[in-house]
Amino acid sequence: MQKIAEHKGCGTSGGSGKASCGTGAGENDLAPEIWEKVKNHPCYSEEAHHHYARMHVAVAPACNIQCNYCNRKYDCANESRPGVVSEKLTPEQAAKKVLAVASTIPQMTVLGVAGPGDPLANPEKTFKTFELISKTAPDIKLCLSTNGLALPDHVDTIARYNVDHVTITVNMIDPEIGAQIYPWIFWNHKRVTGYEAAKILTERQMQGLEMLTERGILCKINSVMIPGVNDKHLVEVNKAVKSRGAFLHNIMPLISAPEHGTVFGLNGQRGPTAQELKALQDSCEGEMNMMRHCRQCRADAVGLLGEDRSAEFTTDKIMEMEVKYDLESRRAYQSKVEEERVAKVEAKKAELETLAGAASDIKMLIAVATKGSGRVNEHFGHAKEFQVYELSTSGAKFVGHRRVDLYCQGGYGEEDALETVIRAINDCHAVFVAKIGGCPKGTLKEAGIDPVDQYAYEFIEQSAIAYYKDYISKVNAGEIEHVERGDASIRQGAYAPVTA
Ligand code: CLF
Ligand code: SF4
């Protein structure tokens, strides 16, 4: 296979020769041509996702398959989650929206088409959108996400429009398992069901993946982890996609509740717990880059991955907006972002050096309230999610995030929400925040989670390493006892407002 398939990537983490510093890989870890493609793509680089934003335009309503975790009232659950639906746009409206967002959010660097159905089941609309945007906003990277059924038919067009990043959702390579996930596909003008449908789908997905990587297009694989159905099998999927040159594997939790009206939701099929998800991601990390910062965003998402600014850019609002696309000011803003990014990396490196030689086999998780830039800069009560880092003598590693209900409800604390926050970060030893009130502080301590506000507005990883150093020195001195934490739950509902 060509370049990216051969790329064993990064010199940093060593080990198995995998292309694998996780998506946290930096400039020195990747071949220059790969770094150019991922450095400001918030999904392909964990590090970039603290600084750069993406947007989706919902131009693709139709779908050519049925997934048991999907309800067509909502967006494609392969790049989304049940519970929210998008305003559908024409390619012309989408192009205007991209310019409006790009001039308002200068760190928006990627446009993705991810639904609400399958982009390649709507090829005219999808490619017309790319064509319009590549003319008016040439600095924006183009990205698409597909179930893969129609992919082999469109690879040349994808390459022609310079779409450099393609996601394929691959939940199985064994049609027996596939038949439990996909009741039917629409293929050659007719509906095909069961084993036969899953067999066609997996063959088309693998063929499409090979064709893309042969052309040097970076491929990400999304897989939905469905306990008891494909959870163990995803290790095989991981190997199959790695051998075909995929750059990144994103294993996402099934989100399913009866109110979503999906087959799995109505059957009571559960999603994984936080520990189950992390264990699977960890076991696949020996094979290739794993994405752990996916937010399962909606088909009209706008902003940093952890935020949702789509309500600022409804069709009514963008049609009234004066749009001034100023490439120079976007570049100037992004060079400031790069300065901050370099400072963050340097601070982490310096702190890591002070950890050299520390002896401990303690691994622990911490939760962090942040609104971006890699800093501890969010109040506990305002956090809609917490980022989770694993601390060890190797440093601080991003391993996931947890969506929560807002604790602060306009001036008072919501006790029910506090309970859900604790359940969501129950596997963490500490929670880093910019600020926290006395009441939640006490409840967190009772639950065994240390509320830490001493690193307010500091860089996350640098602060986390300093905290870990202090923690293990206290354990080693016998001042505190290290106790393993329990499991945590992954929130099932949607947290974004419905817009249409
Ligand atoms: Fe969108 Fe997907 Fe491109 Fe990103 S999202 S089309 S690769 S620009 Fe990203 Fe959102 Fe996860 Fe997708 S966080 S759901 S992985
Ligand atoms: Fe739904 Fe997406 Fe599956 Fe189509 S590919 S059925 S839109 S989840």
Side-chain angles (χ1 to χ4, degrees):
M1 246 159 251
Q2 54 38 285
K3 246 176 224 157
I4 53 165
E6 287 168 356
H7 169 65
K8 298 281 185 269
C10 56
T12 51
S13 63
S16 56
K18 58 188 175 141
S20 153
C21 332
T23 50
E27 186 168 5
N28 299 325
D29 306 318
L30 297 170
E33 68 276 12
I34 304 286
W35 173 246
E36 262 321 295
K37 287 183 182 175
V38 305
K39 68 178 185 188
N40 58 5
H41 193 308
C43 303
Y44 282 68
S45 162
E46 185 277 309
E47 211 257 313
H49 104 279
H50 300 280
H51 308 281
Y52 290 102
R54 56 73 186 98
M55 70 176 289
H56 290 163
V57 285
V59 294
C63 191
N64 47 6
I65 70 172
Q66 179 63 56
C67 307
N68 277 336
Y69 46 73
C70 176
N71 177 344
R72 294 294 173 76
K73 277 198 293 190
Y74 305 128
D75 290 348
C76 172
N78 287 332
E79 279 283 299
S80 176
R81 61 187 181 282
V84 282
V85 287
S86 309
E87 256 184 330
K88 292 171 192 70
L89 301 178
T90 63
E92 291 70 25
Q93 287 170 322
K96 168 119 201 227
K97 181 172 179 175
V98 172
L99 294 183
V101 173
S103 46
T104 314
I105 307 178
Q107 70 273 42
M108 192 282 283
T109 48
V110 178
L111 166 79
V113 178
D118 185 74
L120 299 180
N122 305 261
E124 293 82 14
K125 288 179 185 148
T126 297
F127 290 116
K128 181 73 189 168
T129 302
F130 286 146
E131 184 191 337
L132 292 172
I133 289 157
S134 61
K135 280 187 191 140
T136 50
D139 63 321
I140 290 178
K141 284 187 165 60
L142 304 176
C143 195
L144 83 83
S145 165
T146 175
N147 61 43
L149 181 64
L151 181 57
D153 305 333
H154 297 289
V155 168
D156 288 336
T157 318
I158 288 170
R160 196 163 68 243
Y161 283 103
N162 290 326
V163 179
D164 243 353
H165 301 77
V166 174
T167 296
I168 314 168
T169 299
V170 180
N171 294 319
M172 53 85 209
I173 50 167
D174 175 352
E176 295 280 359
I177 293 174
Q180 299 171 54
I181 303 170
Y182 305 102
W184 56 261
I185 63 169
F186 198 72
W187 175 243
N188 283 343
H189 311 290
K190 59 176 194 289
R191 195 175 273 220
V192 183
T193 58
Y195 183 94
E196 185 58 21
K199 185 165 178 289
I200 295 167
L201 181 61
T202 182
E203 286 169 2
R204 299 282 289 174
Q205 289 174 336
M206 294 302 117
Q207 185 191 355
L209 173 59
E210 285 171 9
M211 291 171 75
L212 288 167
T213 57
E214 273 161 16
R215 286 162 176 78
I217 294 169
L218 277 192
C219 293
K220 171 164 74 63
I221 303 301
N222 280 1
S223 300
V224 180
M225 179 181 179
I226 311 162
V229 176
N230 71 347
D231 47 347
K232 297 194 172 57
H233 178 60
L234 286 180
V235 177
E236 297 307 311
V237 170
N238 180 270
K239 288 182 183 141
V241 299
K242 186 202 172 194
S243 71
R244 289 170 173 82
F247 174 72
L248 189 61
H249 193 184
N250 172 24
I251 299 182
M252 313 181 285
L254 172 72
I255 294 181
S256 107
E259 61 269 27
H260 298 147
T262 62
V263 171
F264 282 148
L266 295 169
N267 285 350
Q269 170 64 54
R270 71 172 182 93
T273 67
Q275 271 184 3
E276 288 170 337
L277 179 66
K278 182 172 179 298
L280 178 58
Q281 290 169 331
D282 287 350
S283 71
C284 290
E285 196 166 65
E287 299 296 324
M288 69 183 292
N289 294 333
M290 296 303 294
M291 177 181 190
R292 299 172 188 250
H293 59 285
C294 176
R295 302 308 201 274
Q296 290 168 276
C297 20
R298 50 196 284 173
D300 64 355
V302 175
L304 293 172
L305 296 193
E307 68 179 5
D308 187 351
R309 296 182 61 177
S310 52
E312 292 171 44
F313 301 98
T314 57
T315 307
D316 291 350
K317 287 179 186 162
I318 53 172
M319 288 306 149
E320 282 169 16
M321 271 172 146
E322 281 282 323
V323 172
K324 191 170 163 284
Y325 191 73
D326 182 350
L327 195 53
E328 279 317 303
S329 66
R330 278 175 57 76
R331 285 200 177 124
Y333 187 94
Q334 288 177 20
S335 65
K336 289 269 170 232
V337 171
E338 286 303 308
E339 282 172 24
E340 174 87 350
R341 188 172 175 175
V342 169
K344 190 188 78 169
V345 171
E346 290 301 318
K348 176 186 173 182
K349 212 169 119 200
E351 196 67 45
L352 203 51
E353 278 164 15
T354 69
L355 192 59
S360 175
D361 54 9
I362 292 177
K363 276 190 176 180
M364 60 196 284
L365 301 182
I366 59 157
V368 181
T370 175
K371 45 187 173 191
S373 305
R375 291 182 184 269
V376 183
N377 55 6
E378 182 64 287
H379 292 201
F380 178 80
H382 298 164
K384 290 193 198 114
E385 66 161 38
F386 290 90
Q387 296 190 354
V388 178
Y389 286 76
E390 185 172 66
L391 314 187
S392 70
T393 48
S394 310
K397 174 183 167 192
F398 180 99
V399 291
H401 62 91
R402 308 284 162 71
R403 242 174 231 150
V404 295
D405 294 321
L406 266 189
Y407 170 65
C408 184
Q409 303 283 350
Y412 65 91
E414 180 56 66
E415 288 313 309
D416 289 349
L418 186 54
E419 266 180 43
T420 66
V421 174
I422 289 173
R423 276 204 297 277
I425 61 170
N426 187 49
D427 50 350
C428 298
H429 277 82
V431 55
F432 285 29
V433 296
K435 203 170 177 189
I436 184 167
C439 201
K441 225 179 196 178
T443 314
L444 282 162
K445 278 186 187 156
E446 279 166 27
I449 301 168
D450 184 15
V452 178
D453 54 8
Q454 78 195 73
Y455 301 111
Y457 303 101
E458 302 290 337
F459 289 124
I460 296 169
E461 288 152 310
Q462 178 188 29
S463 307
I465 295 166
Y467 178 85
Y468 179 75
K469 257 187 334 193
D470 187 47
Y471 184 88
I472 57 169
S473 73
K474 284 184 178 150
V475 172
N476 291 342
E479 289 170 37
I480 54 172
E481 188 193 351
H482 177 67
V483 183
E484 293 294 330
R485 301 284 308 162
D487 205 348
S489 53
I490 294 172
R491 192 184 186 287
Q492 290 296 300
Y495 76 122
V498 173
T499 58

